[in-house]
Amino acid sequence: NAGVMQNPRHLVRRRGQEARLRCSPMKGHSHVYWYRQLPEEGLKFMVYLQKENIIDESGMPKERFSAEFPKEGPSILRIQQVVRGDSAAYFCASSPLAGSGKNIQYFGAGTRLSVL
Amino acid sequence: EDQVTQSPEALRLQEGESSSLNCSYTVSGLRGLFWYRQDPGKGPEFLFTLYSAGEEKEKERLKATLTKKESFLHITAPKPEDSATYLCAVQQAAGNKLTFGGGTRVLVKP
């Protein structure tokens, strides 16, 4: 049973380009979460999605960032017109259930985004 | 707003020297408190979930405990392979996101 798969593992973009980060949840998991880890800072929640729905985007920057989890395919975190401050590790997590005692989030290995 | 504070920020131990990590939290209705381990360049690896004060869980050399205000992760007779950053996170009863502390970097020297 494969874990949470993220790709690419490393992504280099120049200022102003777009970054697309992909996340495939664990088999049987229908809930996806994105977190960001800035250098020398802790993990910060960004967004929580179920299939075709954004449930909680309270941690998403207001501009340039968007996320989706389509009916088919991986979840995508999209950053438009990247700036140097977007350089960070972006982690995806998935869980089988929400709102229950078994809501354990399992994390992927992350995508390290570097903006030149 | 939920807050999680971990101490110490860093801990250097000799192999076999037991110690404890602290996680203090404030949350509006706790659903669960989570401990993760993170190695450099990797994602957090799930260790434990605690749901109510007084609960304890153990796994090999690690034991996690929970009170109404804090959690402890006890490392008994650590080995060099226990070197990692240990992360504590809380989850509200009303939501699903995790709020993380800054982590404790543990280095166990042989």
Side-chain angles (χ1 to χ4, degrees):
Chain A
N1 187 11
V4 178
M5 303 300 292
Q6 290 188 249
N7 64 82
R9 290 295 313 277
H10 300 275
L11 183 61
V12 179
R13 285 289 177 266
R14 296 190 181 278
R15 282 179 296 169
Q17 290 185 322
E18 179 180 286
R20 291 170 71 88
L21 288 61
R22 288 177 290 277
C23 169
S24 296
M26 287 178 71
K27 187 177 180 180
H29 288 192
S30 57
H31 302 263
V32 166
Y33 312 80
W34 286 93
Y35 294 83
R36 177 165 66 174
Q37 191 169 41
L38 292 165
E40 306 304 321
E41 291 190 23
L43 278 160
K44 302 285 188 213
F45 168 79
M46 298 181 76
V47 63
Y48 160 43
L49 310 103
Q50 296 178 25
K51 286 283 187 182
E52 299 184 283
N53 284 302
I54 297 174
I55 307 302
D56 180 357
E57 56 182 348
S58 59
M60 285 282 268
K62 299 299 180 193
E63 298 177 346
R64 302 188 296 107
F65 285 72
S66 62
E68 63 176 5
F69 189 15
K71 188 176 179 181
E72 302 290 338
S75 175
I76 305 286
L77 180 68
R78 182 182 178 206
I79 312 172
Q80 294 179 290
Q81 298 176 338
V82 296
V83 302
R84 290 217 172 104
D86 297 332
S87 295
Y90 292 82
F91 291 96
C92 171
S94 71
S95 70
L97 291 169
S100 75
K102 301 297 182 184
N103 182 16
I104 297 170
Q105 295 181 23
Y106 296 91
F107 283 78
T111 293
R112 272 101 186 137
L113 172 66
S114 296
V115 180
L116 304 179
Chain B
E1 187 174 319
D2 301 344
Q3 281 197 317
V4 180
T5 303
Q6 292 188 245
S7 62
E9 288 187 10
L11 191 59
R12 294 166 68 97
L13 301 171
Q14 287 297 128
E15 185 172 1
E17 179 188 359
S18 300
S19 189
S20 295
L21 284 56
N22 177 263
C23 171
S24 298
Y25 66 91
T26 55
V27 63
S28 301
L30 180 71
R31 172 179 291 153
L33 184 139
F34 298 76
W35 282 99
Y36 289 85
R37 167 193 171 126
Q38 187 175 24
D39 293 296
K42 297 190 177 180
E45 175 189 346
F46 171 74
L47 293 174
F48 303 108
T49 311
L50 302 166
Y51 295 105
S52 57
E55 190 174 359
E56 297 182 354
K57 288 196 176 168
E58 281 189 73
K59 178 181 179 181
E60 295 180 353
R61 295 176 293 283
L62 300 177
K63 178 180 176 181
T65 62
L66 181 65
T67 72
K68 288 187 177 179
K69 293 183 178 180
E70 58 191 350
S71 176
F72 290 93
L73 184 66
H74 308 277
I75 310 178
T76 302
K79 298 182 177 182
E81 52 262 42
D82 294 322
S83 298
T85 296
Y86 291 86
L87 301 171
C88 171
V90 296
Q91 185 179 58
Q92 272 189 9
N96 293 289
K97 68 180 183 182
L98 295 176
T99 299
F100 282 88
T104 294
R105 293 188 311 278
V106 174
L107 176 63
V108 182
K109 305 191 92 175

